[in-house]
Amino acid sequence: MEHKLLLALQGKNTGCPPVWLMRQAGRYLPEYRALRQKHRLIDLFFTPALAAEVTLMPIRRFALDAAILFSDITVVARALGLTLDFNEGPVVHPRVMPGMQFQMSMEKLDPIIETVKLLKPQLRVPLIGFCGGPFTVASYLIGDLEETKKWLSHDAFPHLLDQIADVSCEYLRRQVAAGADAVQIFDSWANVLSDEQWRKFSLPYITRLAASVDVPAIFFMRGAARYIDEIPCAVSLDWETDLAAARLRTTKTLQGNLNPDLLFEPLPVVREQTKTLLASMRDDPAFILNLGHGVKPGTPVEAVQYLIHTARMFL
Ligand code: CP3
């Protein structure tokens, strides 16, 4: 029987909606922090047994309807022949300059594909693979958003985005071949673009990514509501958007959209707001309950537990 997440992605779910949370495998979990004390982040991402273990941590604790691969959007830097490490955030060397040539090698991502293969037999829920939107990945390769903005008017920018899209399409295909049941594209920084820039520097590339796989894709960016009709797949919405109002505009699968800060509120508030959202989307066949962005570090585990329990009990 097909799982709720996949049914919702086809617009065919009945009963309560599937639930999973962006960044569900991260720093708010004590067992993650304990493992992290012993390993560098890059080693967690590139050691299949460890990455699989972190992916499974939230699945063991909560009644989630999907697992998301424990990896990062910046790993494709390695497939472009660059080095990647993590400090406060991702650090890529050398910084990408206009006209730079890349030594592409997809094998660098083999350990992550191995993680997907390790996970599959251990999971009873669908596995979501992912990659970054080329614009957002480019901003990490270039170094920061201010530098990236300088590239917008440069002839070399579409070429850079194309190269990132090439490796990302192949990376997604390999995740799916290894067993990923759906994919999510995180174009987290694309909201800094104007409408015209978004249509030039985000949309064409995410369209290529979504078309490169034969499983459903979900697109995430802050402010995605603006582009609901143009996004070529399911849309993950933030908490600035009213989901029931968005539903009047589209039959697409919609995901979201509780504020991650809600999880810092007292438990009855978590329950009431979750129920309000669930009621506003009651019986929607194409709705996936999620947050509007990732779970924040420091989020109380009980609040996550409560949210998922509330969703599971909702009639
Ligand atoms: O749900 C999951 O936990 C899956 C794994 C996952 C990670 N990163 C692990 C990670 C996913 C889906 C991502 C996506 C990601 N990575 C995005 C898009 C989503 C978003 O939140 O907007 C972005 C922009 C990145 C880049 C990145 N990676 C940053 C800016 C940082 C540092 C700050 C932060 O967000 O934590 C990372 C490191 C990173 N990636 C951690 C994790 C769990 C932190 C881990 C640690 O320090 O122990």
Side-chain angles (χ1 to χ4, degrees):
M1 207 186 70
E2 244 184 322
H3 195 279
K4 269 188 172 298
L5 180 92
L6 301 175
L7 289 170
L9 284 166
Q10 297 162 49
K12 292 182 188 161
N13 184 44
T14 51
C16 63
V19 54
W20 71 280
L21 304 182
M22 292 186 269
R23 300 294 193 106
Q24 66 190 23
R27 285 184 283 202
Y28 69 103
L29 288 175
E31 58 272 36
Y32 172 80
R33 285 201 304 273
L35 189 69
R36 186 68 174 81
Q37 296 254 301
K38 293 192 255 164
H39 303 277
R40 293 161 63 225
L41 186 54
I42 193 81
D43 295 333
L44 288 186
F45 291 141
F46 281 90
T47 309
L50 294 175
E53 175 57 26
V54 179
T55 305
L56 292 169
M57 284 174 176
I59 306 300
R60 294 200 181 106
R61 262 186 193 263
F62 314 118
L64 289 158
D65 289 300
I68 179 156
L69 176 66
F70 182 75
S71 181
D72 196 75
I73 62 165
T74 50
V75 296
V76 293
R78 286 196 162 178
L80 288 166
L82 306 167
T83 66
L84 170 68
D85 209 339
F86 288 83
N87 217 331
E88 291 299 300
V91 184
V92 176
H93 279 289
R95 289 239 173 142
V96 169
M97 297 293 171
M100 208 161 116
Q101 297 294 317
F102 296 109
Q103 291 293 327
M104 294 202 196
S105 48
M106 287 309 298
E107 314 75 63
K108 293 271 174 63
L109 301 180
D110 282 353
I112 299 172
I113 303 305
E114 207 44 53
T115 306
V116 175
K117 290 184 188 158
L118 259 184
L119 276 167
K120 276 307 279 185
Q122 301 185 60
L123 282 170
R124 268 167 296 164
V125 291
L127 177 63
I128 302 173
F130 72 92
C131 72
F135 174 76
T136 298
V137 173
S139 71
Y140 284 105
L141 302 188
I142 291 165
D144 62 52
L145 272 178
E146 282 319 301
E147 276 304 304
T148 307
K149 282 184 183 159
K150 296 185 196 155
W151 278 66
L152 295 177
S153 55
H154 203 294
D155 291 344
F157 199 41
H159 183 55
L160 173 63
L161 296 173
D162 257 321
Q163 289 174 296
I164 297 169
D166 287 343
V167 291
S168 304
C169 285
E170 183 55 28
Y171 177 44
L172 285 186
R173 278 196 287 268
R174 289 180 186 213
Q175 291 181 47
V176 170
D181 301 283
V183 297
Q184 180 152 322
I185 302 161
F186 289 90
D187 213 354
S188 304
W189 296 120
N191 63 329
V192 304
L193 297 170
S194 69
D195 291 355
E196 193 192 337
Q197 289 167 339
W198 184 80
R199 294 191 177 104
K200 216 162 138 190
F201 301 124
S202 175
L203 178 62
Y205 304 96
I206 63 165
T207 304
R208 274 186 59 196
L209 287 170
S212 69
V213 289
D214 54 10
V215 297
I218 308 167
F219 178 68
F220 168 84
M221 74 177 263
R222 286 285 294 275
R226 279 212 324 269
Y227 306 120
I228 268 187
D229 299 323
E230 294 164 76
I231 293 166
C233 55
V235 185
S236 197
L237 293 169
D238 63 52
W239 56 95
E240 317 265 326
T241 309
D242 182 76
L243 271 186
R247 169 53 76 224
L248 299 177
R249 289 171 48 197
T250 183
T251 56
K252 275 183 193 154
T253 298
L254 299 176
Q255 172 174 278
N257 71 342
L258 293 165
N259 189 330
D261 288 332
L262 171 65
L263 295 169
F264 293 88
E265 298 286 333
L267 297 180
V269 179
V270 174
R271 181 177 57 213
E272 283 324 303
Q273 294 208 15
T274 305
K275 279 173 112 174
T276 303
L277 174 61
L278 288 163
S280 78
M281 296 300 279
R282 191 189 293 275
D283 292 330
D284 191 296
F287 169 52
I288 300 167
L289 181 65
N290 205 313
L291 302 178
H293 202 160
V295 180
K296 292 184 168 178
T299 295
V301 175
E302 309 74 56
V304 174
Q305 175 84 61
Y306 219 65
L307 188 166
I308 294 162
H309 182 74
T310 304
R312 281 298 177 134
M313 291 298 125
F314 188 78
L315 293 172

